Amino acid sequence: MVAVRADTEFPDARAAYAAAPGAATVDLSVRIGSLTLHTPVMPASGCFGPELGALIPVAELGAAVTKTVFGSARGGNPVHRLTEIPAGMVNSVGIPSRGPVGYLATLHPRYAALDVPTIISVGGHRPSEYAPVVAALGENGAAFELNVSCPNLDRNGTDIGSDPAAIREVVAAVRLVTDKPIIVKLPVLVASIADCARAAEEAGADAVCVANSIPAMPLDALTRRPILGNVIGGLSGPSIKPIVLRLVWLASRAVQIPVIACGGVETADDALDYFSVGASAVQVGTASFARPFAAVEVARGLQQRCRDAEVGTIRELLELDAAL
Amino acid sequence: MRATAAAAARREAAARARAFAEADARALDGLVSVRPRQAVPRPQPVWDDAEMLVHEPAGERYRRLVLASSSIAHTALAGQFLMITVPPHAGDTILLPRPMAIHRRRPATADQPGTVELIYGVVGRGTRALAAVPVGGTLQVTGPLGRGFEFETGTRSALLIGRGVGICGVMGAAEDAQAAGIRTTMVLSGQRPEQLLGRADCAELGVRVIAVTDDDGSSDLVTLSAGLRAEFDGATPERTPPDVVMVCGAGVLARLAAELGAHWGVPVQASLEAHMACGLGYCHGCAAPVRTDASVEGPLVCADGPVFDARIPVD
């Protein structure tokens, strides 16, 4: 097991932080299919790694979420891969992957050593590529998150996740090869998020995650050339929260399965905003770079807010707020 | 015609920026590779709330930061870096932490906490916000990070080359060299004499300084290269080639160091910089300029570097 361990001779801020979680007196657990998370807070794919196991009390999170695993090994995009503009962070990392075999050999043991369930993110370049990856991952991991924000090579590069028929095809195929919970991570740029969420639900998904970074193109202010080597990247951070709030609201009204919100969550209040429009859980991404413990802070903040209001559930907390 | 002059100045600045970026990319193409596995284990990175003890101008162009963190000061290796989380400033929130080289490490004493010293230039939103943090304030830092400069056993002499704020990247190596009794010369390069960093540090560490600037033309790559060959191509012990060359500051300078290394038949270690988000290796934001097969993820500046081997490619 990986644990935050203090150097007794030269203490740093980690140990004091890990030792002061406050009493987890409120049951905030949430079910994603057959998987129960003790808190509705987890990292966003790509914004977490087992490296954090020694820096933050990972056990206070509901789950760990891996970087997306593709069917075959692939490299990432050319430099520069990320930048910060006033509107947020833009990344075009390109999701390098070692494939399921490489993932299981090198990364998975480090995730398994963490004290939380591992949700393995899975990607594909066409709908048929997802199920073989899930099958190859077998009994590893507690759930699968299908990253359908990938260009579909069968359909001239349109995002798989923007096409309800393609979503259905992906989920139905994955459902046949695993009994573990399936989460479908939907993209922002879709004609109808409700149709996309319904397609996932009808094909057997246990939850949808709404949403992902937003395609964007940052230019250098001086040279007016694209900053990113890939020209286009994904915008993330607090500025995308209102955009994703709308999508979460629409998706939550369309499906019965849990909606996991992902977009600009930095604080417990951001999480409560998402819960108030129908989300059951949140993912924390960009905020973790500046504050590695950001997701832990959100989880602790939710406990604190419920304790302060003397309520036992987030639903009760939101009802109190709504009655103002 | 003020507008015309302003437009011309803007065009010139844009052209300079493009030319610099292109020259740097060309210089680094095929130049660096990941160093063989190191003998010294890397320290476990931590995050710490570090009190800012000093925050003042350093020369004409930069600012000096001294942070109290006994843990990081105790464990950091030469050439490692920190991720600095920049607090919000005047309503502006900085999302990503900024990677900065550890310039000096001063371990804790009986009555003083250990400190690390960093130097940075105010170049954009992030560093402007950082410049507003007062002495006595707290900065959240993560580190020490990355793979730094390493002296092989038996090294007797070293040539260190730093330019601009890159001088901070190699100063840790000067500290190690002094502790190990390695005879060291350091090239301090910058635009103007008033901007040169590291003179006082080199004096304290007993490192011989060769100062070069754009102002008098001495930092010109051809001039500098010829000067260093003349300096170290001699027969006396002081003038024999160094056992190792370590460099930080620009791609073109790393290439110059690699050429000198090839000429003298000695290894060259070059520290690179990159835009980063996590600094730990999981975000894969800082791909190193190393040629790899398209189906394979190449090395990362944060986890496999920032210090790499630099060799002139054979092709």
Side-chain angles (χ1 to χ4, degrees), chain A residues 28-32 35-50 52-53 56-67 111-112 114-121 141-145 181 183 260 281-285 288 292 295-296 299:
Chain A
L28 297 180
S29 64
V30 57
R31 287 182 68 85
I32 308 289
L35 175 66
T36 300
L37 310 181
H38 73 83
T39 185
V41 184
M42 65 192 94
S45 175
C47 303
F48 182 88
L52 287 170
I56 63 168
V58 172
E60 290 185 49
L61 301 177
V65 182
T66 71
K67 206 169 183 66
Y111 276 104
L114 301 173
D115 230 5
V116 286
T118 303
I119 297 174
I120 305 179
S121 173
F144 297 104
E145 180 178 272
I183 302 162
I260 303 168
V282 293
Q283 294 188 342
V284 181
S288 299
V296 174

Side-chain angles (χ1 to χ4, degrees), chain B residues 27-79:
Chain B
L28 286 172
D29 185 30
L31 189 75
V32 298
S33 57
V34 177
R35 309 201 58 239
R37 186 171 287 280
Q38 71 191 117
V40 185
R42 252 190 262 183
Q44 166 63 47
V46 305
W47 66 266
D48 208 359
D49 289 320
E51 188 188 344
M52 195 181 278
L53 304 176
V54 177
H55 194 186
E56 61 185 18
E60 254 186 9
R61 203 177 159 183
Y62 305 104
R63 291 182 69 77
R64 176 195 324 276
L65 266 181
V66 177
L67 298 172
S69 175
S70 295
S71 163
I72 294 173
H74 178 65
T75 60
L77 303 174

Side-chain angles (χ1 to χ4, degrees), chain B residues 15-313:
Chain B
R16 258 201 316 275
R18 284 180 183 187
F20 179 81
E22 280 160 15
D24 229 47
R26 259 200 317 276
L28 286 172
D29 185 30
L31 189 75
V32 298
S33 57
V34 177
R35 309 201 58 239
R37 186 171 287 280
Q38 71 191 117
V40 185
R42 252 190 262 183
Q44 166 63 47
V46 305
W47 66 266
D48 208 359
D49 289 320
E51 188 188 344
M52 195 181 278
L53 304 176
V54 177
H55 194 186
E56 61 185 18
E60 254 186 9
R61 203 177 159 183
Y62 305 104
R63 291 182 69 77
R64 176 195 324 276
L65 266 181
V66 177
L67 298 172
S69 175
S70 295
S71 163
I72 294 173
H74 178 65
T75 60
L77 303 174
Q80 284 197 297
F81 68 97
L82 301 179
M83 292 300 275
I84 308 289
T85 298
V86 182
H89 167 61
D92 196 12
T93 301
I94 305 302
L95 278 184
L96 297 181
R98 299 298 194 258
M100 288 188 190
I102 300 171
H103 175 56
R104 299 296 306 270
R105 302 156 288 169
R106 295 184 179 92
T109 61
D111 51 354
Q112 296 286 328
T115 63
V116 286
E117 182 176 331
L118 316 171
I119 297 181
Y120 66 96
V122 178
V123 292
R125 279 175 60 230
T127 42
R128 267 199 302 279
L130 180 60
V133 179
V135 169
T138 298
L139 274 187
Q140 188 205 303
V141 297
T142 304
L145 298 165
R147 176 129 185 235
F149 290 106
E150 293 147 23
F151 289 102
E152 301 290 332
T153 317
T155 304
R156 290 155 305 159
S157 62
L159 171 63
L160 312 182
I161 306 174
R163 177 167 167 91
V165 82
I167 288 166
C168 307
V170 281
M171 197 57 78
E175 291 178 327
D176 281 9
Q178 185 221 25
I182 295 167
R183 193 172 66 248
T184 305
T185 302
M186 178 123 111
V187 175
L188 305 177
S189 173
Q191 289 176 356
R192 295 156 42 74
E194 294 79 7
Q195 293 174 353
L196 281 187
L197 299 170
R199 281 185 192 274
D201 301 287
C202 287
E204 177 198 328
L205 295 168
V207 169
R208 186 168 71 112
V209 165
I210 299 175
V212 297
T213 64
D214 301 356
D215 260 12
D216 66 8
S218 52
S219 66
D220 169 74
L221 293 171
V222 175
T223 309
L224 178 59
S225 180
L228 290 173
R229 284 173 197 234
E231 189 73 34
F232 290 98
D233 275 353
T236 62
E238 290 73 32
R239 293 195 158 235
T240 51
D243 292 338
V244 64
V245 182
M246 296 172 171
V247 60
C248 180
V252 291
L253 213 53
R255 193 162 193 102
L256 177 147
E259 284 163 2
L260 289 172
H263 172 67
W264 292 324
V266 302
V268 177
Q269 299 176 22
S271 179
L272 305 184
E273 60 172 23
H275 294 269
M276 295 179 186
C278 77
L280 291 158
Y282 64 81
C283 84
H284 287 256
C286 60
V290 173
R291 295 176 189 166
T292 48
D293 189 310
S295 70
V296 179
E297 171 71 341
L300 301 173
V301 173
C302 73
D304 300 299
V307 176
F308 294 86
D309 271 340
R311 266 191 214 98
I312 299 297

Side-chain angles (χ1 to χ4, degrees), chain A:
Chain A
M1 200 195 88
V2 179
V4 176
R5 203 167 284 129
D7 180 321
T8 45
E9 196 187 354
F10 298 105
D12 52 76
R14 288 175 306 154
Y17 185 83
T25 50
V26 185
D27 179 13
L28 297 180
S29 64
V30 57
R31 287 182 68 85
I32 308 289
S34 57
L35 175 66
T36 300
L37 310 181
H38 73 83
T39 185
V41 184
M42 65 192 94
S45 175
C47 303
F48 182 88
E51 293 86 350
L52 287 170
L55 266 78
I56 63 168
V58 172
E60 290 185 49
L61 301 177
V65 182
T66 71
K67 206 169 183 66
T68 302
V69 179
F70 283 85
S72 52
R74 57 182 238 164
N77 283 328
V79 292
H80 294 140
R81 287 180 173 182
L82 58 83
T83 190
E84 181 177 344
I85 57 176
M89 168 181 170
V90 193
N91 90 82
S92 64
V93 168
I95 320 189
S97 171
R98 292 170 174 168
V101 174
Y103 166 78
L104 289 177
T106 57
L107 266 173
H108 190 72
R110 300 174 66 197
Y111 276 104
L114 301 173
D115 230 5
V116 286
T118 303
I119 297 174
I120 305 179
S121 173
V122 172
H125 304 295
R126 37 176 61 91
S128 59
E129 287 185 6
Y130 288 77
V133 179
V134 171
L137 292 167
E139 285 311 301
N140 298 286
F144 297 104
E145 180 178 272
L146 309 181
N147 176 3
V148 292
S149 307
C150 306
N152 184 350
L153 297 184
D154 285 347
R155 295 285 302 277
N156 296 323
T158 49
D159 268 11
I160 293 172
S162 66
D163 175 1
I167 293 171
R168 229 176 242 114
E169 189 184 342
V170 169
V171 177
V174 172
R175 188 74 286 171
L176 290 176
V177 298
T178 186
D179 295 328
K180 294 190 177 189
I182 298 172
I183 302 162
V184 180
K185 181 154 176 163
L186 298 171
V188 169
L189 299 184
V190 295
S192 164
I193 194 79
D195 287 351
C196 292
R198 267 193 293 268
E201 181 178 44
E202 286 163 10
D206 297 281
V208 287
C209 178
V210 179
N212 211 318
S213 60
I214 304 177
M217 179 174 169
L219 295 184
D220 182 88
L222 188 61
T223 64
R224 283 204 191 93
R225 287 186 181 181
I227 294 174
L228 300 175
N230 187 51
V231 181
I232 291 167
L235 177 69
S236 64
S239 66
I240 76 167
K241 193 181 123 192
I243 297 168
V244 179
L245 269 171
R246 168 185 167 269
L247 294 173
V248 168
W249 180 62
L250 292 170
S252 299
R253 286 153 40 119
V255 295
Q256 299 300 308
I257 53 175
V259 175
I260 303 168
C262 179
V265 175
E266 296 189 314
T267 64
D269 266 310
D270 294 326
L272 288 167
D273 281 352
Y274 277 120
F275 294 143
S276 76
V277 298
S280 300
V282 293
Q283 294 188 342
V284 181
T286 308
S288 299
F289 295 130
R291 298 179 301 132
F293 46 81
V296 174
E297 278 292 282
V298 172
R300 287 183 181 187
L302 291 175
Q303 280 282 343
Q304 186 66 45
R305 295 294 290 273
C306 288
R307 272 203 305 276
D308 289 351
E310 297 184 319
V311 296
T313 65
I314 287 171
R315 204 44 57 195
E316 288 170 74
L317 185 65
L318 294 172
E319 279 163 15
L320 279 180
D321 285 351
L324 284 178

